[in-house]
Amino acid sequence: MIRIKDIAKLANVSTATISYVLNDSGSVSLETRNKVLKVVADLNYKPNNIAKSLKLKKTNTIGVIVEDITVFNSPEIVDGINDYANTENQSIILTNMRLFKHTGQNFLYQPDSHVEYAQRAMKELMSKQVDGIIYVGIHTRELTNLFNNLQIPIVYTYCYANDQPDLSVNYDDEFGAYDATKYLIDRGHEKIALISGPIDSDPTRLRFNGYYKAIMEHQLIFEPNDIKTGNWEFDSGFTLAKELLQVAKPATAILAMNDLMASGAIHACAELGLSVPRDVSIIGFDNREFSGHLTPALTTMDLPLHELGTQSMSTLLALINKDELPHNPIKPRCKLIERDSVASVSK
Amino acid sequence: MIRIKDIAKLANVSTATISYVLNDSGSVSLETRNKVLKVVADLNYKPNNIAKSLKLKKTNTIGVIVEDITVFNSPEIVDGINDYANTENQSIILTNMRLFKHTGQNFLYQPDSHVEYAQRAMKELMSKQVDGIIYVGIHTRELTNLFNNLQIPIVYTYCYANDQPDLSVNYDDEFGAYDATKYLIDRGHEKIALISGPIDSDPTRLRFNGYYKAIMEHQLIFEPNDIKTGNWEFDSGFTLAKELLQVAKPATAILAMNDLMASGAIHACAELGLSVPRDVSIIGFDNREFSGHLTPALTTMDLPLHELGTQSMSTLLALINKDELPHNPIKPRCKLIERDSVASVSK
DNA sequence: CTGAAAGCGCTTACAG
DNA sequence: CTGAAAGCGCTTACAG
């Protein structure tokens, strides 16, 4: 391992000078500068950033706490974080809480072990002196008080903390559901059923708002019987779609609040001998990879995950540099992916 | 930020003593030990590992270079790395080359930019003084000479370097294909077609070997016309399955070398009016998430990705600690996932 | 059992 | 334009 001191000796200058040329700081004559650079190249010198960080009290390293890297939303968000980090020369320390692997579907109801994992992760990152933290959730939900008296900037994404709303980066759930519903309405559907997530979930409420707004705005009839509450899983989509469809005058379209339930709905139609989209149109949410492989390929809302990552990173960097934060930042928008599960209604 | 020096002053001992109790090294009387611990707790002291690393020339941090975190194999491998790292108190610096995003399907043929990204990643990790590196590929292929004169331990997974075969961790491709083929044979299939990847791909060759071995071992007839060379994409599975099936005496089963091509084959059957699995059985490879959502749900080989991660990590740590490496380590095995796309042949 | 001191590889305010 | 020196927060060989 070759040090600045070795360069200094060979180049016959002080270590200060080496540092100046390496960092383009101070003023160094062209001659000594070239001399130093030559020795640096000859010895294939690689700076030790750990020493630099200790001195400067800045690591240019961001801690990323991800609740579970194997859950579908995480890799794209991390990719966005990396994308932005590369342009800003920031490194990423990744801690993966493996929440879903540890607790399965129950992760929402295991606050104790959750807190323990989170604080362990935080402790590790603090000891590594990261300049800030991005916390990546696996479900949009309230996480205030997960960490007590933070001593370091943090931004949340795919989840949020009420005590720092400007530091939570999430996409526009309501607008996404509004758009999906409107897409159906534009194709002549007037009776649009909804398979929702659990009531105590934020995305459920927001997506319901979007749905309701589109229905009202187009003077359609809001029919409570066409709203069914599911649990995000395939089976609930399957069961609820059947209930929805086996009535006297069924809806002509179903908006499922995620792709898993939409898939259940598609399979329910197959079982009922109904053709999608000829007899009933189905639209999902999330644009999971599998959604394009369903039969028929599912029309669904794509989540702006990559953008969540870049926006988290830019927000965090602004925090770290004490730049002014945009006050009401625009929430990234979902994008409709048109495939084969929606048809116009024939009048 | 509170330092060891602050603790020392309040506890009326030297900084050396603080260090001893914090690290359980040296010998400290119970009395002073408790006194120190109390001050540490009172001040909520958090050690600065960057300073420790500088002194010890060891960071307990592993650099993970992943070619693309958004490609399906990567998250599970990283999860395995994290899993093992947690038990060994290692941190992970993640650099994501975003290879697929940068170059798309052509990543195999863009060696120049690949080398550039890789060396930039390596440089970043070296400057952070990581103790070792795990390189996670997105396609099993030869990567010798990607890095010139390495000064740090590295292990490759989901790819390999010929100059250090013991440091490349990959699953047993051949055995996986053998198992899949045998599964079909056990169900009475005697004419089994194969949709392969490109010939210049290592997994193609290894999987072909496994297929061939199972055919020979069971004294079936090897029929070259039943072997078609695809390109891993849906379309090639679709096209080739049609060719395979529209002959006088078609195979009763198709082994596709990945799930994407298997999906294409399923769709080809639908178009030909053939029922899967009644008329033809289809088996895939990879166990991609979508494979369970196909109609019918695809029987396929699951890749031991998590294990690839843990084994990479244990190998790397052995390297770093200069422990002896197992000489011919067992390759992690694929596991057959039985779903609905394979039936027994009726005699 | 405890402490004084050197040193890990950098940066920078200051003096010349 | 250049260098001597202090200091970032730790650890540890050594002396007592």
Side-chain angles (χ1 to χ4, degrees):
Chain A
M1 167 102 273
I2 126 124
R3 295 114 61 222
I4 234 177
K5 200 197 275 190
D6 304 315
I7 312 283
K9 188 171 292 177
L10 287 197
N12 261 314
V13 292
S14 72
T15 59
T17 301
I18 310 294
S19 177
Y20 293 142
V21 348
L22 255 22
N23 294 297
D24 265 324
S25 59
S27 43
V28 181
S29 73
L30 191 61
E31 191 189 2
T32 50
R33 182 182 157 78
N34 286 335
K35 189 171 55 175
V36 167
L37 254 18
K38 180 163 185 341
V39 180
V40 164
D42 286 354
L43 298 197
N44 190 22
Y45 166 75
K46 298 252 178 27
N48 181 333
N49 266 317
I50 230 96
K52 179 170 181 168
S53 294
L54 178 61
K55 175 67 185 168
L56 261 33
K57 293 166 169 294
K58 185 148 200 291
T59 53
N60 292 314
T61 302
I62 302 301
V64 175
I65 300 178
V66 8
E67 290 190 342
D68 197 317
I69 189 72
T70 66
V71 170
F72 83 96
N73 64 295
S74 301
E76 279 292 346
I77 294 179
V78 170
D79 187 68
I81 293 173
N82 276 304
D83 190 6
Y84 201 93
N86 286 345
T87 70
E88 301 287 324
N89 275 308
Q90 301 288 318
S91 299
I92 297 300
I93 298 189
L94 180 80
T95 54
N96 177 10
M97 291 166 57
R98 312 187 68 238
L99 198 54
F100 195 78
K101 296 253 174 163
H102 280 307
T103 64
Q105 312 285 355
N106 296 316
F107 68 92
L108 289 176
Y109 311 104
Q110 303 240 353
D112 286 353
S113 58
H114 183 183
V115 167
E116 191 195 320
Y117 291 130
Q119 297 197 342
R120 195 183 309 163
M122 176 62 80
K123 200 173 160 193
E124 176 192 340
L125 294 173
M126 296 280 293
S127 79
K128 295 283 184 187
Q129 311 298 114
V130 297
D131 297 333
I133 284 178
I134 297 177
Y135 185 99
V136 182
I138 51 178
H139 184 78
T140 309
R141 65 200 196 286
E142 152 71 353
L143 246 33
T144 318
N145 299 325
L146 182 57
F147 302 109
N148 40 8
N149 63 18
L150 283 166
Q151 337 198 7
I152 190 178
I154 182 168
V155 352
Y156 297 87
T157 185
Y158 219 87
C159 61
Y160 59 94
N162 277 335
D163 54 351
Q164 30 184 297
D166 287 352
L167 305 182
S168 303
V169 177
N170 290 287
Y171 58 89
D172 196 329
D173 250 322
E174 179 173 329
F175 199 87
Y178 172 87
D179 254 7
T181 310
K182 187 167 180 321
Y183 177 79
L184 260 9
I185 295 172
D186 287 348
R187 269 145 201 80
H189 295 277
E190 300 186 336
K191 193 165 162 55
I192 300 170
L194 182 68
I195 299 180
S196 87
I199 300 294
D200 60 352
S201 144
D202 290 291
T204 297
R205 283 193 289 260
L206 292 166
R207 290 175 194 179
F208 176 80
N209 291 349
Y211 165 85
Y212 189 77
K213 198 170 151 195
I215 296 288
M216 289 299 119
E217 223 172 85
H218 293 82
Q219 282 132 33
L220 300 182
I221 295 164
F222 173 73
E223 172 54 74
N225 289 331
D226 280 344
I227 315 292
K228 299 280 180 186
T229 305
N231 67 358
W232 303 124
E233 298 298 320
F234 176 94
D235 284 345
S236 78
F238 184 79
T239 309
L240 297 174
K242 275 186 174 175
E243 292 181 17
L244 246 12
L245 262 11
Q246 296 186 106
V247 296
K249 196 176 175 305
T252 58
I254 298 177
L255 166 57
M257 281 197 188
N258 75 357
D259 288 347
L260 237 23
M261 297 191 296
S263 174
I266 286 179
H267 281 78
C269 290
E271 197 169 297
L272 296 176
L274 262 21
S275 159
V276 178
R278 211 189 49 222
D279 301 324
V280 25
S281 289
I282 295 180
I283 193 166
F285 217 105
D286 285 352
N287 192 24
R288 296 274 290 267
E289 190 196 34
F290 70 78
S291 67
H293 292 268
L294 296 171
T295 310
L298 184 68
T299 293
T300 185
M301 294 301 298
D302 180 59
L303 270 27
L305 300 171
H306 189 268
E307 209 176 336
L308 251 31
T310 54
Q311 190 166 318
S312 298
M313 195 67 187
S314 68
T315 304
L316 181 61
L317 257 19
L319 255 186
I320 290 171
N321 299 329
K322 303 199 180 351
D323 294 343
E324 200 146 331
L325 290 175
H327 207 52
N328 275 311
I330 296 181
K331 291 187 169 202
R333 290 276 170 86
C334 299
K335 194 173 101 234
L336 188 81
I337 306 292
E338 291 193 73
R339 289 198 277 243
D340 309 326
S341 63
V342 172
S344 297
V345 341
S346 41
K347 299 270 180 181
Chain B
M1 167 100 275
I2 124 122
R3 295 114 60 221
I4 235 180
K5 200 197 275 189
D6 304 313
I7 311 281
K9 189 170 290 176
L10 287 196
N12 261 312
V13 292
S14 72
T15 58
T17 301
I18 310 294
S19 177
Y20 293 142
V21 350
L22 256 21
N23 293 298
D24 265 325
S25 59
S27 44
V28 182
S29 74
L30 193 61
E31 192 186 2
T32 50
R33 183 183 157 79
N34 285 335
K35 189 170 57 176
V36 167
L37 253 18
K38 182 166 182 341
V39 180
V40 164
D42 287 353
L43 298 196
N44 189 21
Y45 166 75
K46 300 254 179 24
N48 180 332
N49 265 318
I50 229 97
K52 181 170 180 168
S53 295
L54 178 59
K55 175 64 187 170
L56 261 34
K57 293 167 170 294
K58 184 148 201 293
T59 54
N60 292 313
T61 301
I62 301 301
V64 175
I65 301 178
V66 6
E67 290 190 343
D68 196 316
I69 189 71
T70 66
V71 170
F72 84 97
N73 64 296
S74 301
E76 280 291 347
I77 294 180
V78 170
D79 188 67
I81 292 173
N82 276 302
D83 190 5
Y84 200 93
N86 286 344
T87 71
E88 302 286 325
N89 276 308
Q90 300 288 319
S91 298
I92 297 302
I93 298 188
L94 180 80
T95 54
N96 178 9
M97 290 166 58
R98 312 187 68 241
L99 197 55
F100 194 79
K101 296 252 175 163
H102 281 305
T103 63
Q105 311 285 358
N106 297 319
F107 68 92
L108 290 177
Y109 311 103
Q110 304 240 349
D112 286 352
S113 58
H114 183 184
V115 167
E116 191 194 321
Y117 291 129
Q119 298 197 341
R120 196 184 309 163
M122 176 62 78
K123 199 171 162 193
E124 177 193 339
L125 294 174
M126 295 281 292
S127 78
K128 296 282 183 189
Q129 311 297 118
V130 298
D131 297 332
I133 285 178
I134 297 177
Y135 186 98
V136 181
I138 51 178
H139 184 77
T140 309
R141 64 201 196 288
E142 153 71 353
L143 246 35
T144 318
N145 299 325
L146 183 56
F147 302 110
N148 39 7
N149 61 16
L150 283 166
Q151 338 197 4
I152 191 179
I154 184 168
V155 352
Y156 297 85
T157 185
Y158 219 87
C159 61
Y160 59 94
N162 277 335
D163 53 352
Q164 30 184 296
D166 287 351
L167 305 181
S168 302
V169 177
N170 289 287
Y171 58 89
D172 195 330
D173 250 322
E174 179 173 328
F175 200 87
Y178 172 86
D179 255 6
T181 310
K182 185 167 181 321
Y183 177 80
L184 259 11
I185 295 172
D186 287 346
R187 271 146 200 78
H189 294 278
E190 301 186 333
K191 193 165 160 57
I192 300 170
L194 182 68
I195 300 180
S196 86
I199 300 294
D200 61 353
S201 145
D202 289 292
T204 297
R205 283 191 289 258
L206 292 166
R207 291 176 192 177
F208 176 79
N209 291 348
Y211 164 86
Y212 189 77
K213 197 169 149 196
I215 296 289
M216 289 298 119
E217 222 171 84
H218 293 82
Q219 282 130 33
L220 299 182
I221 294 162
F222 174 74
E223 172 54 76
N225 289 331
D226 280 344
I227 314 293
K228 299 280 180 184
T229 303
N231 66 358
W232 304 123
E233 299 298 319
F234 176 94
D235 284 345
S236 77
F238 184 79
T239 310
L240 297 175
K242 275 189 174 172
E243 293 181 16
L244 247 11
L245 263 12
Q246 296 185 108
V247 296
K249 196 176 173 305
T252 60
I254 297 176
L255 166 58
M257 283 197 189
N258 75 357
D259 287 347
L260 238 23
M261 296 192 297
S263 174
I266 286 180
H267 281 78
C269 290
E271 197 168 296
L272 297 177
L274 261 20
S275 160
V276 178
R278 211 189 48 222
D279 301 325
V280 24
S281 289
I282 295 181
I283 194 165
F285 216 105
D286 285 350
N287 192 25
R288 296 274 292 265
E289 189 194 35
F290 70 78
S291 66
H293 292 268
L294 296 172
T295 309
L298 184 68
T299 293
T300 185
M301 293 303 294
D302 180 58
L303 270 25
L305 300 172
H306 189 270
E307 210 177 334
L308 252 30
T310 54
Q311 187 166 321
S312 298
M313 196 65 187
S314 68
T315 304
L316 181 60
L317 256 21
L319 255 186
I320 290 172
N321 299 328
K322 303 198 182 351
D323 294 343
E324 199 146 330
L325 291 175
H327 206 53
N328 273 311
I330 296 182
K331 291 187 168 201
R333 288 276 170 88
C334 298
K335 195 172 101 234
L336 188 81
I337 305 292
E338 291 193 71
R339 288 196 280 243
D340 310 326
S341 62
V342 172
S344 295
V345 340
S346 41
K347 297 270 178 176

